Amino acid sequence: MAKLEILEYPDDRLRTKAAPVVAVDDEVRTLVDDMLETMYAAPGVGLAAPQIGVMKRIFVMDVADKEAPPEPVAMIDPQVVWASEETSTYEEGCLSIPEIYEEITRPARVRVKFLDRDGAEREAEFDGLGATCAQHEIDHLDGKLFIDYLGSVKRSLITQKMKKLKRERAKETD
Ligand code: GNR
Ligand code: NI
């Protein structure tokens, strides 16, 4: 297994639509394992392939309680097939937008169709943090970020802050 580097906003790859996988082979399964290792190490509750610079429609998540046994989930070519009218609001963060947390409103429950790590077609329904996280990850596959749900003034402030953070980090490693 390998821990991978997580891209940080702004980065063009985080704004690019990822390509369907279609064939779930050993290379995809290795990628899934590396993504899970990277997510747990971060630590985060989800990670989408574009966040590590791989432009494929794959994400992993684990929204189990910290004290409970891990429940790793990998979804390949996921599609939301149903979303509830009812919404819920969560304070979201993103490993690609460090130190920014904002309340975002999304459908409270979603049904997702996807391929599992064996390439089998499956469906699963999520609520709570699972529903929020699955939608956050599927957005990543379409080049969409949680800050896109904020007003343009707030979003530009975050973009400026992230650019500054990146500049400072680049200087440190000079
Ligand atoms: O670790 C994460 N936590 C989180 C909290 C609320 C809503 C969404 C998330 S996903 C995030 C990890 C990440 O950036 N996934 O793309
Ligand atoms: Ni994210």
Side-chain angles (χ1 to χ4, degrees):
M1 296 239 277
K3 209 181 90 179
L4 309 162
E5 194 189 325
I6 297 173
L7 301 179
E8 290 186 358
Y9 175 80
D11 186 300
D12 286 346
R13 288 164 289 183
L14 295 172
R15 289 310 199 177
T16 305
K17 194 175 161 80
V21 172
V22 185
V24 181
D25 53 17
D26 285 346
E27 196 184 318
V28 167
R29 280 184 281 272
T30 300
L31 177 63
V32 162
D33 292 342
D34 290 347
M35 285 171 63
L36 281 165
E37 184 181 347
T38 305
M39 177 189 81
Y40 286 125
V45 296
L47 185 73
Q51 292 181 277
I52 48 145
V54 175
M55 304 316 297
K56 291 181 182 168
R57 303 188 74 80
I58 301 172
F59 77 78
V60 295
M61 69 179 205
D62 188 337
V63 293
D65 279 343
K66 266 189 219 145
E67 293 78 32
E71 286 175 34
V73 169
M75 296 206 173
I76 299 158
D77 292 348
Q79 272 180 292
V80 175
V81 292
W82 174 81
S84 63
E85 297 279 340
E86 187 198 336
T87 58
S88 70
T89 302
Y90 267 93
E91 186 170 77
E92 294 195 23
C94 182
L95 294 171
S96 297
I97 315 175
E99 290 165 50
I100 304 289
Y101 302 91
E102 295 285 347
E103 295 211 323
I104 305 292
T105 299
R106 302 180 185 266
R109 281 167 290 132
V110 288
R111 255 190 106 67
V112 182
K113 190 171 115 176
F114 63 100
L115 302 178
D116 66 16
R117 59 178 295 132
D118 300 315
E121 215 175 87
R122 289 177 53 181
E123 266 189 38
E125 195 166 315
F126 296 99
D127 61 12
L129 179 60
T132 288
C133 190
Q135 292 172 79
H136 174 118
E137 303 312 334
I138 292 170
D139 275 352
H140 273 301
L141 307 181
D142 292 322
K144 190 163 181 161
L145 302 169
F146 81 93
I147 54 172
D148 298 345
Y149 295 94
L150 304 171
S152 60
V153 173
K154 220 170 191 179
R155 189 169 57 251
S156 330
L157 282 171
I158 291 169
T159 304
Q160 291 320 306
K161 191 174 168 186
M162 286 298 124
K163 283 184 177 165
K164 186 161 174 254
L165 195 74
K166 269 196 145 176
R167 275 199 305 274
E168 285 168 0
R169 292 231 186 111
K171 259 192 235 157
E172 282 166 17
T173 55
D174 260 355

